[in-house]
Amino acid sequence: MQWDALVLSVDALALLADALALLVDALALLADALALLVDALALLVDALALLADALALLADALALPNLICYKLMKCCI
């Protein structure tokens, strides 16, 4: 009877060790996922910076005809 209890205790400890190993694996996967999220956020920031640059270039391009007209009017007057 005592041997059965000892065997069951060893089995329980082995299952606990397996559960802890799975927990460690899950935490490692969570760390990887968080690292990927940080990378994705950095890429989003870069994309927003590029969008801001594109909008600034568009504003410059839209202002160019007005600048040309102003220079022509200043020259001709």
Side-chain angles (χ1 to χ4, degrees):
M1 186 81 150
Q2 290 177 349
W3 290 108
D4 291 338
L6 181 62
V7 168
L8 288 175
S9 295
V10 170
D11 288 344
L13 288 175
L15 288 174
L16 180 61
D18 289 344
L20 288 175
L22 288 173
L23 179 62
V24 168
D25 290 344
L27 289 175
L29 288 173
L30 180 61
D32 290 344
L34 289 175
L36 288 173
L37 179 61
V38 168
D39 290 345
L41 289 175
L43 288 173
L44 179 61
V45 169
D46 290 344
L48 289 175
L50 288 173
L51 179 61
D53 290 344
L55 289 175
L57 288 172
L58 179 61
D60 290 345
L62 291 175
L64 191 59
N66 291 335
L67 180 62
I68 292 170
C69 288
Y70 172 76
K71 295 256 182 187
L72 286 173
M73 287 174 52
K74 189 175 177 183
C75 172
C76 296
I77 292 178

